[in-house]
Amino acid sequence: IGRTVARVREAVVSTQSTGKNGAVFEPGQGNNAYIFPAVALGVMCCGSIRIPDDLFLTAAEALSELVSEKDLAVGRVYPRLSDIKEISVHVSVAVIKRCYELNLATVLPMPDD
């Protein structure tokens, strides 16, 4: 209708647009609600010495794993905000693992869990 949601390769892109009858559709606050807090938690937990762009890609990929077909079917491009605690843990763990893979973590040895 007036909402623009497009799959670009393996990403979901959401932009603001105007629909029929002047209705304005705006994208959610994915970075502010889901990505930045989880990246910050992850780098603090492992003591990362840097925050390269790759960590944001890792966080976005981890977040996308939590978007279900049901979410997409009802027009959500993010998981439910009511699940933010569990989502933040999932995304942060992915960021932490990536920090260890990139030898950025200073909390050593890498925890088993």
Side-chain angles (χ1 to χ4, degrees):
I1 273 193
R3 195 166 119 195
T4 304
V5 177
R7 285 193 179 268
V8 179
R9 293 190 185 175
E10 294 298 322
V12 175
V13 179
S14 178
T15 62
Q16 179 176 336
S17 63
T18 304
K20 288 185 175 182
N21 302 323
V24 176
F25 296 93
E26 296 184 18
Q29 292 292 313
N31 285 337
N32 295 331
Y34 297 102
I35 300 297
F36 295 142
V39 169
L41 178 60
V43 299
M44 287 189 298
C45 286
C46 70
S48 181
I49 58 173
R50 289 190 349 255
I51 306 174
D53 290 344
D54 188 56
L55 297 185
F56 292 96
L57 177 59
T58 298
E61 289 171 344
L63 179 62
S64 74
E65 294 168 0
L66 301 176
V67 179
S68 69
E69 290 300 321
K70 182 179 177 183
D71 290 325
L72 294 173
V74 297
R76 282 193 298 265
V77 294
Y78 302 112
R80 297 178 59 87
L81 190 57
S82 61
D83 298 328
I84 191 66
K85 289 180 184 179
E86 295 82 5
I87 294 165
S88 293
V89 169
H90 178 82
V91 174
S92 295
V93 168
V95 168
I96 291 167
K97 288 178 179 178
R98 187 67 180 142
C99 285
Y100 281 101
E101 290 170 2
L102 296 173
N103 295 315
L104 298 173
T106 60
V107 175
L108 301 170
M110 180 180 173
D112 293 330
D113 61 357

